[in-house]
Each structure stands twice: as structure tokens, then as C-alpha cells.
């Protein structure tokens, strides 16, 4: 549901530390992770998780997840999680690995069909298990929301007049948090959050703006940057973190 930005109640999100703690708490082999990796993740600024592949058949299941943390120097660390049930219908068990090769070796021991060559979820499984997200648009002064979003953006490469004119016709919008946690001061004293502002246009098309909200400023104040793509927004976050490292 879309709500005015200034009073938006964003969905609660785990901090990078909380997410790491939960992952290590459920993984049976977490004690095997190198200490250096754990030390790096203790200083993470933000995190992201996604389903990487899955297999379900005759009461057996296997899923692999990619967990990525953004570090203060702009680099990223990924851990791979394998979740499976040893017996049909049994409780799931979790294992965690530092690279894909270790993950594939562990997966091969399960006696299930191997991963696809691209190590991705097969097309049929994608359609059944992980449908494309659908926006829940709501009409509430969406054109004005777009105007205010662009007005507070401080980055020189923010969307220009053409995008502003297009969004002036928006009939509905939705805000979702994509990365990070608002107001969370990291170990380096920084806070990062990424939001997707999706707008519904009169012709039924959609246009999204990606907002980076952070405190990587000389005086520690909050700053808003707006980009036309998620990749551009994430790149901006990493550049900011690298300069502040």
C-alpha cells in the first residue's frame, strides 16, 4: 500500500548484524567459516538476500540462497546458504559456504538432480515458485509525490525535466524498501537505505525511480539521491561507502 513519503511506515528490516546472526544461528556448519570473513561482516553497512535456485520433488526439497553484505570500503562479501531436508517431509537443515564451488560440492552430496548449467532456477520452477513481484499501487497525489521526490534529490545526475514531465501524469504509486535500513548507524557511523518509488502512468505503463538515502556527508546529515535504475543507485551507494572508508 502506498502512503505519503514524509509519514511512510516502512516495513521493518533487519540490520546487517541481525541478518548475519540469524544465518549463523541456523547453519549447522557456521563454525567452519573463516574468522576473517566474520570480522568483515561485523562492519557491514547493508545487506541483501535472494533465492538462487530450488528443487522440489517427492517430499524432498533443496533451495540455495545468496546473502550479500556491503562493506564500508565499497566491496561486497557473499555467503551461500543451502537449505534442504535430509528425509522426505522432514525438517529443513541449513548450511552456509563462502563460495559457489563449496556450495555445489555440498549440493552434489544430497543425491538430488544437479543444478542447471547456469546455476539458476529452471524456468518452470521460476514461474511456479517465485513469481514476478506485482506492485500494489494506490492513488494518493502520486504526481505531487514525484515532484517532491525529485525536488529533494541532491545528486547532479538526478532525473531531468523529461522524467519530471512524465511523472506529472502519474495516477498512482508505491514505495518499497529495497536495501538497507532507515536510520541505522553502522559501525562506521553511516546509514544507507534504498527505496523503489514505482509510478503507474495513464497508459498502464510503469516507471520507477530509485532513491538512496544516506549519511555519507561531511557533516553526517541525511542526503537524498535519486536515480533512474537500481544499478545506478547501488553503484552510487558503493562509491559513497568507498570514499568514507
Amino acid at each position: 500500500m502506498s502512503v505519503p513519503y514524509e509519514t511512510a511506515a516502512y516495513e521493518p528490516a533487519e540490520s546487517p548484524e541481525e541478518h548475519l546472526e540469524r544465518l549463523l544461528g541456523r547453519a549447522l556448519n557456521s563454525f567452519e567459516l573463516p574468522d576473517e570473513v566474520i570480522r568483515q561482516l561485523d562492519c557491514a553497512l547493508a545487506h541483501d538476500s535472494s533465492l538462487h535456485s530450488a528443487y522440489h520433488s517427492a517430499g524432498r526439497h533443496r533451495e540455495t540462497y545468496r546473502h550479500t553484505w556491503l562493506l564500508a570500503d565499497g566491496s561486497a562479501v557473499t555467503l551461500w546458504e543451502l537449505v534442504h531436508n535430509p528425509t522426505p517431509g522432514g525438517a529443513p537443515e541449513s548450511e552456509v559456504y563462502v563460495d559457489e564451488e563449496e556450495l555445489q560440492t555440498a549440493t552434489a552430496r544430497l543425491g538430488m538432480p544437479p543444478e542447471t548449467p547456469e546455476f539458476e532456477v529452471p524456468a518452470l520452477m521460476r514461474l511456479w515458485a517465485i513469481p514476478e513481484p506485482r506492485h500494489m499501487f494506490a492513488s494518493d497525489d502520486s504526481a505531487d509525490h514525484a515532484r517532491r521526490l525529485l525536488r529533494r534529490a541532491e545528486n547532479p545526475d538526478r532525473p531531468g525535466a523529461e522524467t519530471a514531465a512524465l511523472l506529472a501524469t502519474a495516477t498512482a504509486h508505491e514505495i518499497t524498501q529495497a536495501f538497507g535500513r532507515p536510520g541505522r548507524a553502522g559501525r562506521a557511523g553511516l546509514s544507507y537505505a534504498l527505496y523503489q518509488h514505482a509510478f503507474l502512468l495513464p497508459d498502464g505503463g510503469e516507471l520507477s525511480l530509485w532513491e538512496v538515502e544516506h549519511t555519507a556527508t561531511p557533516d553526517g546529515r541525511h542526503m537524498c539521491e535519486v536515480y533512474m535504475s537500481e544499478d545506478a543507485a547501488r553503484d552510487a551507494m558503493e562509491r559513497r561507502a568507498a570514499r568514507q572508508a
Side-chain angles (χ1 to χ4, degrees):
M1 177 178 178
S2 178
V3 293
Y5 180 79
E6 284 74 14
T7 58
Y10 293 103
E11 290 292 327
E14 288 183 311
S15 70
E17 293 91 343
E18 291 168 339
H19 185 75
L20 176 62
E21 182 179 355
R22 281 205 312 119
L23 174 61
L24 298 182
R26 65 178 176 261
L28 299 179
N29 65 332
S30 59
F31 61 90
E32 296 177 348
L33 292 178
D35 291 341
E36 175 59 26
V37 172
I38 303 301
R39 283 195 293 270
Q40 285 182 302
L41 296 179
D42 278 342
C43 300
L45 298 176
H47 73 280
D48 190 31
S49 297
S50 61
L51 177 67
H52 191 58
S53 68
Y55 172 82
H56 293 254
S57 178
R60 294 291 308 280
H61 71 83
R62 178 200 69 223
E63 296 96 28
T64 59
Y65 297 89
R66 177 167 36 206
H67 303 272
T68 302
W69 286 263
L70 175 67
L71 306 184
D73 62 2
S75 63
V77 172
T78 294
L79 293 181
W80 299 89
E81 182 182 17
L82 172 63
V83 179
H84 66 96
N85 58 340
T87 59
E93 295 182 355
S94 171
E95 302 169 24
V96 63
Y97 299 94
V98 296
D99 59 48
E100 288 188 62
E101 185 176 351
E102 289 182 336
L103 176 66
Q104 292 178 357
T105 299
T107 300
R109 295 197 301 265
L110 300 181
M112 298 184 190
E115 304 283 355
T116 60
E118 294 80 17
F119 202 55
E120 292 290 346
V121 184
L124 182 60
M125 179 62 73
R126 283 203 300 271
L127 294 175
W128 170 72
I130 39 178
E132 288 295 316
R134 299 181 62 183
H135 293 294
M136 300 295 291
F137 289 109
S139 301
D140 46 11
D141 298 323
S142 299
D144 185 60
H145 173 76
R147 179 184 60 79
R148 288 182 285 115
L149 175 62
L150 292 173
R151 185 179 62 188
R152 65 175 174 266
E154 299 184 46
N155 52 308
D157 54 346
R158 60 188 177 275
E162 183 177 347
T163 299
L166 184 60
L167 291 178
T169 67
T171 59
H173 73 283
E174 181 194 39
I175 308 167
T176 54
Q177 183 177 353
F179 195 108
R181 184 178 186 179
R184 187 191 71 82
R187 295 294 179 86
L190 304 179
S191 173
Y192 288 87
L194 175 61
Y195 302 103
Q196 179 184 13
H197 299 256
F199 295 90
L200 180 65
L201 304 178
D203 63 359
E206 299 179 14
L207 189 154
S208 287
L209 297 182
W210 297 84
E211 178 191 12
V212 178
E213 193 177 76
H214 63 84
T215 58
T217 52
D219 57 359
R221 68 178 180 85
H222 277 81
M223 179 179 178
C224 166
E225 301 180 25
V226 177
Y227 298 90
M228 291 294 297
S229 71
E230 182 177 6
D231 286 344
R234 291 185 186 276
D235 287 345
M237 291 174 69
E238 293 180 2
R239 289 195 303 271
R240 287 280 182 180
R243 287 199 293 267
Q244 294 294 319

